Amino acid sequence: MMEWLPTTPEAWFDFLVYASIGMCAFVFVALFYFPAAYGRYNTGNKLWGPGINPRLGWFLTEVASCVLFAVIYFMGDYAFDIVPLIFLLMWQFHYFHRTFIFPFTVKVRPGATTPIGIPLMAFFTNTVISFLNASILTWATISRGYDISWLTDPRFIIGVLVFVSGYYVNKKADAMLAALRKPGESGYKIPRGWLYEKITCPNYFGELLTWVGWSIATWSVAGWIFVLLTAANLVPRAITNHRWYHEKFDDYPKDRKILIPYIL
Ligand code: NDP
């Protein structure tokens, strides 16, 4: 009855790559019409299930990318090789923070919730992304095999530099947003300074750069699938955020781009 399902890890990998491309196309189009119902776009509609604490929402969203990724990684044959270990560190550098620290840095509005359907859906997609990106590092039948010479390969060096730049931009931009709300405040303000003078969503720009860097450094289909999924999520949301700022604030700077300085 389920004969169409893959039976080997390699076949699962290919299956999930194609399924993810389809999912990205769907997500990209859908989010232009229906912004993901968390943060400012949670209208209280029960379609996505009951609301939970936004911090718990973030934890559930990201925990697969931290914990399941590590489990899948250590199931592989090359788990203790140097280069895969460096990639594991890079990944966890981002995801340990996103799962266990970031949820406690956001300034949650009193009474705000996240509908449970949003983190559950993200948990599912992050499980797929974790399988693809961990298995390419350590599973013998899937990995390209990263030996020590990869450390001097220009793809690794450039990729790591882009990853670190993206990480810095993402974290700094998120921290600037968190600093906008002083104790007791719960509204929205126009972010000012640094990259916010150029674009509306530097945090999303940094996130995209991070995964572009990862893709270059790992030189992998799995990495590019993740870039595609991140773009499918963040490009429509950045455009919607930009429009939202212009509608909410008459004095929102007219020359700010949306997501990529000077370009988009
Ligand atoms: P937002 O920029 O929408 O919000 C981040 C935080 O800042 C929220 O707590 C929000 O409050 C607050 N905030 C935003 N704008 C203002 C403002 N003008 N004034 C005051 N406070 C403000 O980011 P997201 O929540 O969408 O994303 C958070 C992180 O997660 C980002 O780093 C993003 O890159 C990452 N992410 C990654 C995805 C991926 O596919 N890899 C997908 C989605 C997010 P409130 O919640 O009340 O609106």
Side-chain angles (χ1 to χ4, degrees):
M1 192 179 145
M2 307 281 267
E3 288 88 10
W4 55 275
L5 277 178
T7 51
T8 62
E10 308 88 277
W12 266 109
F13 184 90
D14 292 342
F15 174 80
L16 290 174
V17 164
Y18 289 114
S20 300
I21 293 172
M23 182 169 68
C24 290
F26 174 78
V27 167
F28 183 74
V29 174
L31 288 183
F32 275 108
Y33 297 97
F34 309 101
Y38 69 90
R40 76 195 78 183
Y41 305 115
N42 179 14
T43 55
N45 188 329
K46 293 287 175 237
L47 188 71
W48 287 98
I52 59 170
N53 184 304
R55 296 188 206 283
L56 177 62
W58 274 114
F59 174 79
L60 292 176
T61 296
E62 308 294 4
V63 68
S65 298
C66 184
V67 177
L68 276 181
F69 184 96
V71 170
I72 297 165
Y73 176 96
F74 283 109
M75 285 164 66
D77 314 80
Y78 307 142
F80 295 98
D81 289 5
I82 295 290
V83 180
L85 277 172
I86 292 173
F87 283 131
L88 175 69
L89 271 182
M90 286 165 63
W91 184 276
Q92 294 296 355
F93 201 49
H94 177 88
Y95 272 115
F96 184 85
H97 179 277
R98 193 40 82 61
T99 309
F100 296 105
I101 299 172
F102 175 75
F104 299 98
T105 63
V106 289
K107 302 274 175 57
V108 175
R109 283 171 286 125
T113 58
T114 298
I116 185 102
I118 302 287
L120 289 184
M121 214 165 61
F123 183 93
F124 170 75
T125 54
N126 284 338
T127 299
V128 171
I129 290 298
S130 294
F131 170 72
L132 295 179
N133 282 276
S135 66
I136 56 131
L137 300 179
T138 62
W139 291 30
T141 52
I142 293 175
S143 177
R144 64 186 294 133
Y146 297 97
D147 63 34
I148 198 82
S149 67
W150 191 253
L151 294 181
T152 52
D153 191 293
R155 290 168 289 188
F156 177 80
I157 296 166
I158 293 168
V160 169
L161 289 175
V162 176
F163 180 95
V164 171
S165 313
Y167 184 91
Y168 174 74
V169 169
N170 175 257
K171 296 292 169 287
K172 177 163 173 160
D174 273 339
M176 287 176 74
L177 285 182
L180 287 176
R181 287 185 187 144
K182 306 294 171 230
E185 289 182 346
S186 61
Y188 292 91
K189 299 174 187 170
I190 300 177
R192 307 267 181 199
W194 192 55
L195 268 182
Y196 281 103
E197 297 304 323
K198 301 276 178 249
I199 49 177
T200 294
C201 300
N203 52 347
Y204 296 172
F205 174 59
E207 183 90 33
L208 277 165
L209 269 185
T210 303
W211 302 117
V212 167
W214 172 267
S215 306
I216 297 171
T218 57
W219 207 249
S220 64
V221 170
W224 289 110
I225 291 289
F226 191 24
V227 172
L228 210 58
L229 183 65
T230 305
N233 272 305
L234 295 186
V235 172
R237 198 168 180 94
I239 292 170
T240 311
N241 282 356
H242 191 71
R243 201 177 299 139
W244 178 91
Y245 275 112
H246 276 286
E247 284 167 8
K248 188 165 176 68
F249 298 100
D250 291 338
D251 55 341
Y252 194 71
K254 302 275 179 288
D255 55 346
R256 255 182 223 190
K257 295 283 187 189
I258 302 171
L259 184 61
I260 304 175
Y262 308 107
I263 298 174
L264 173 68

